[in-house]
Amino acid sequence: MLTENIRIAFRGLSANKLRAALTMLGIMIGVAAVITLLSIGDGVTRYVADQFSGLGTNLIFIIPEQEQPGPPGSDPLSESSLTLRDAELLNDPNLVPGAAAVAPVMFRQIDLQYGGNLHSVLARASTPEYAAINKLEIARGRGLDQTDYDSRSRVIVLGPDTVKAIFPDDVDPLDRDVRVNGINFRVVGLLTQKGASGIGGSQDDVALLPLTTAQERLFDNRSATSGQFLADAILIEAADDAAIDGVIIDASSVLRQSHNIEFRDDDDFQILTQADFLQAFGAVTGVLTLFLGAIASISLLVGGIGIMNIMLVSVTERTREIGLRKAVGARYRDILGQFLTEAVVLAILGGVLGILIGIAGATAINVAVPQLDTSVTFDSIALAVGFSVAVGLFFGIYPASRAAGLHPIEALRFE
């Protein structure tokens, strides 16, 4: 019976090719939209994961806990609980033996000027270890060293996008002086191309400064109570993945003792790993993917309504055929199965064509944005096909049951 119902369904669709094509159009658009948008969401998720993995898997981020932010316009670091002394304690191998490198960092927006070109960039003021921890490589020149840090030298390392923003093409930026918030700094190194990564935004539009220089020459970054220099965050590179848990425990113990936190009191800092960041970004991109899929599903709903409409028209046109079938012995379930099969075939054909269009759309997006991997997964195809079958069944039940419920005598009398 199933084979016969499929044969009858194709015969009915071929008899009204234009109507069938227009009915399938809604399903095609819906399935193509679902596959394309889901591939975009998955591509964004993979892109974020790849960027974090580029930093390695053994990084630990310590940031201050801010329960009560300061008044609007206040300096956010005035509320920071992290100091340079904390970084020195964490860098002590006797206190945190699993830490391979420690780098306190301060993020500040600075104005760079060369000649008549002015560019605002988010600077990373830190220790010489910062570049190695974040896998930043020097293309030309050199990186910041311990001498720069200890002597508070006015030196700076620039990213490739930053160089393009302030230097003309015919000027070699290496060993040139640039003005940082009105103060001259010597460009001693240029970074290689890296792209957006991890924490702090793009790694190509960046300026690296010695933390001591930034604190004493550019920003008054001392605690109002203790007079100690403050930091936005402290980065720790664990010796290996197995040492991460031990580093977290040791670092928490060191900071609680340094900050005089009682046993029952909450921490005034947060310790995060890359897994925590990935989980947070995964939750955001998951909601984004779900939202995009829900929007695309509206097209499938519209396509399903089109299938119901056409099937109702088909029932009306074939009323005498239905009466004749019932008169020669066709049962309720036979008529129901026939029209349900026709609705499902209509939805599946539209779904298959929609899959091809969706794959083409995802490929076109990947060509336009190469860094975004929008390859179509089997899960999205299975979801689209399953949704198509479900739409065909759901919106075909009422027309099919209406056809199956016709009285044979009244159906034969229908004109």
Side-chain angles (χ1 to χ4, degrees):
M1 287 298 298
L2 179 60
T3 305
E4 181 65 15
N5 285 339
I6 294 175
R7 187 185 66 80
I8 294 174
F10 275 106
R11 188 177 65 186
L13 295 177
S14 62
N16 298 280
K17 296 183 179 64
L18 180 60
R19 187 171 71 182
L22 293 176
T23 305
M24 289 189 296
L25 186 60
I27 299 294
M28 289 166 54
I29 294 174
V31 170
V34 167
I35 290 178
T36 303
L37 293 180
L38 287 181
S39 68
I40 293 175
D42 291 341
V44 171
T45 302
R46 287 191 290 267
Y47 177 75
V48 171
D50 290 342
Q51 296 305 311
F52 274 102
S53 63
L55 290 174
T57 58
N58 56 341
L59 287 189
I60 299 168
F61 306 87
I62 303 177
I63 59 176
E65 180 74 50
Q66 294 185 2
E67 296 182 357
Q68 295 181 351
S74 64
D75 188 347
L77 279 185
S78 63
E79 303 294 328
S80 176
S81 59
L82 300 177
T83 66
L84 287 190
R85 171 173 166 75
D86 293 333
E88 293 170 359
L89 292 173
L90 294 172
N91 201 27
D92 187 340
N94 295 319
L95 298 177
V96 189
V102 177
V105 59
M106 180 175 66
F107 299 102
R108 281 293 184 272
Q109 202 74 23
I110 61 173
D111 291 327
L112 293 177
Q113 184 177 5
Y114 180 81
N117 296 327
L118 182 66
H119 179 63
S120 181
V121 64
L122 183 64
R124 280 81 158 168
S126 187
T127 61
E129 289 77 17
Y130 179 84
I133 290 176
N134 286 273
K135 305 296 186 293
L136 299 177
E137 299 178 357
I138 301 296
R140 296 175 57 211
R142 64 175 180 86
L144 303 178
D145 57 28
Q146 194 63 37
T147 302
D148 298 326
Y149 184 83
D150 294 337
S151 61
R152 295 158 177 76
S153 301
R154 290 181 297 176
V155 293
I156 190 170
V157 175
L158 300 179
D161 290 350
T162 314
V163 169
K164 293 177 183 177
I166 61 173
F167 285 98
D169 295 337
D170 57 347
V171 174
D172 185 359
L174 201 60
D175 294 327
R176 298 276 182 175
D177 286 340
V178 295
R179 296 186 68 81
V180 179
N181 291 358
I183 300 175
N184 284 340
F185 276 68
R186 176 62 56 90
V187 179
V188 296
L190 306 176
L191 296 173
T192 58
Q193 194 85 19
K194 187 175 179 66
S197 180
I199 185 172
S202 174
Q203 300 290 317
D204 293 332
D205 189 13
V206 61
L208 303 184
L209 304 169
L211 181 57
T212 51
T213 307
Q215 287 171 330
E216 296 193 3
R217 296 179 182 271
L218 296 176
F219 308 104
D220 184 12
N221 186 30
R222 296 177 183 268
S223 170
T225 55
S226 65
Q228 297 186 54
F229 284 117
L230 302 174
D232 279 343
I234 299 176
L235 277 61
I236 301 178
E237 182 180 20
D240 49 48
D241 293 347
I244 290 178
D245 292 338
V247 170
I248 292 175
I249 295 173
D250 293 338
S252 178
S253 176
V254 168
L255 291 177
R256 286 181 65 87
Q257 185 175 358
S258 175
H259 296 178
N260 297 318
I261 300 175
E262 297 294 334
F263 175 74
R264 300 180 184 276
D265 294 339
D266 294 333
D267 295 338
D268 60 355
F269 56 88
Q270 297 182 61
I271 300 180
L272 304 172
T273 64
Q274 287 179 281
D276 297 323
F277 283 104
L278 283 175
Q279 184 177 2
F281 276 104
V284 173
T285 54
V287 172
L288 173 64
T289 302
L290 183 62
F291 178 70
L292 293 175
I295 292 177
S297 298
I298 296 176
S299 300
L300 283 175
L301 179 63
V302 174
I305 294 173
I307 288 178
M308 178 183 284
N309 182 44
I310 293 303
M311 292 306 297
L312 287 173
V313 172
S314 179
V315 169
T316 302
E317 291 178 345
R318 296 160 63 183
T319 301
R320 288 177 62 84
E321 175 191 331
I322 295 169
L324 182 60
R325 289 178 181 274
K326 300 192 78 170
V328 297
R331 294 165 294 180
Y332 178 92
R333 65 182 184 183
D334 297 328
I335 303 299
L336 182 69
Q338 175 190 335
F339 280 87
L340 269 180
T341 301
E342 188 168 327
V344 171
V345 166
L346 199 61
I348 290 178
L349 287 176
V352 170
L353 294 174
I355 289 172
L356 298 177
I357 297 174
I359 293 174
T363 304
I365 292 175
N366 183 242
V367 171
V369 189
Q371 62 268 30
L372 195 62
D373 179 15
T374 56
S375 56
V376 178
T377 62
F378 175 78
D379 291 341
S380 61
I381 293 178
L383 177 64
V385 172
F387 216 125
S388 299
V389 174
V391 165
L393 286 172
F394 181 79
F395 288 98
I397 285 177
Y398 175 70
S401 60
R402 181 173 175 179
L406 289 175
H407 193 279
I409 297 177
E410 293 180 355
L412 288 170
R413 285 178 176 175
F414 183 81
E415 293 294 339

